[in-house]
Amino acid sequence: MRERRTPKHVGTYNKNLVLEVLMKQGPKSRAELSRITKLTKTAITEIVEELLSKNFIVELGQVNTTRGRRPTKLSINPNLLVLTLDLSGILIKGAIVNPKGDILMMDSVKMREIDDLLRLIERLYEPYKEKIVAISASVPGLLELSSGKVILSTSLNWRDVNIKEIIEKKFPVPFYMQKDTNAGILAETWYGEGKNYRNFFYLLLTKGIGLGIYLNDRVLDGYDGIIGEIGHTIVEIDGKDCWCGKKGCLETVASIPVVLEGYEKNDINDALHLAIKGGKMEKAIKYLGLSLSNVIQIFPPQAICISGNIPKEVLNYITERIKEYIIPNIFPQLRSKINFYYSNLGENSLILGAGVLGFIKYFNR
Ligand SMILES: [Zn+2]
């Protein structure tokens, strides 16, 4: 949410800092805000007045206690809601979230055509239409954030689909999107263990393999949304054809669908366990580990968060095994400095990340 500290951006930076504290830490008084943000009381008063006038925040009632009147607490307006979408899974998920990250309603659909997605949005939108301020999505694939276009997503089977135009034509609120790995980072830094780190990697295992990079408190956006395509770095010279048009990409060896080939089961847990026993998972983890160790040499992170829409015990297994392929392949000086963990936000992390994005964009529009 924070902008670079140039004079032009100081006002926006400070306003966002106050909103960020209220979103992450809950209701605070003016004095508490001043202490936490290190902004003067006068600055806080000005910012609070502006945010109250825009209805972004509200004053909670004063509480009288035996020790006198406690100062009024300020809170993000709880009546602002965002409709969020996670387009990464086999099922497309949608939800209504509030600024605290509570999910008020959730629904999903198996998408065959875009109309299925629009009907899902409609079902979520109708009951809350008075309060929804934005629709916000976590999207897999190559995106052009400036236009709202999905350039290519094999996971969605979309090429040059301007999803922003399609959704804004039908619903009277702004649409925002972010690459799925970056939505995941937002969720981690807002609600997960990621809030403890200034630099970390977010490895996302869905149908593809993506790497979100959080560097010096900032989510790396890359050039107009293309970033962290670790799944399309070459790991086998003259290897198998990849959907991206190249050969031997990491995704051709280590993506979850590749690991599960030959173990088609109704239950993904059963299939994953067979893949672990049969050694296919081990090969995938080895390649993932080697690829990550290459990136670590370039941007050493404080932590690596492993996430994906697979069961937590499998994420835990991957997290434990992957260290064995990373540690010997990075500088000894780095070995004890990197924390490995799997995201405990579970399967809703991309929904929550898209929610954070929606609020940030709404407050800065
Ligand atoms: Zn590729």
Side-chain angles (χ1 to χ4, degrees), residues 81 83 95-96 105 107 118-132 135 170-173:
L81 301 175
L83 192 159
I96 302 291
M105 181 181 171
D107 202 347
L118 295 176
R119 279 190 287 270
L120 171 73
I121 299 174
E122 183 81 46
R123 289 202 295 276
L124 292 157
Y125 190 81
E126 266 311 302
Y128 294 97
K129 62 182 169 196
E130 309 297 334
K131 295 181 177 177
I132 292 171
I135 298 174
K170 203 160 178 329
F171 299 93
V173 288

Side-chain angles (χ1 to χ4, degrees), residues 231-234 241-252:
H232 300 282
T233 53
I234 309 294
D241 289 336
C242 181
W243 63 262
C244 73
K246 304 195 293 170
K247 280 178 191 293
C249 293
L250 179 63
E251 278 193 12
T252 66

Side-chain angles (χ1 to χ4, degrees), residues 53-72:
S53 73
K54 287 183 169 165
N55 227 5
F56 290 172
I57 63 173
V58 292
E59 284 185 316
L60 302 177
Q62 287 179 333
V63 185
N64 293 313
T65 67
T66 47
R67 287 157 61 201
R69 223 164 55 153
R70 283 205 303 220
T72 309

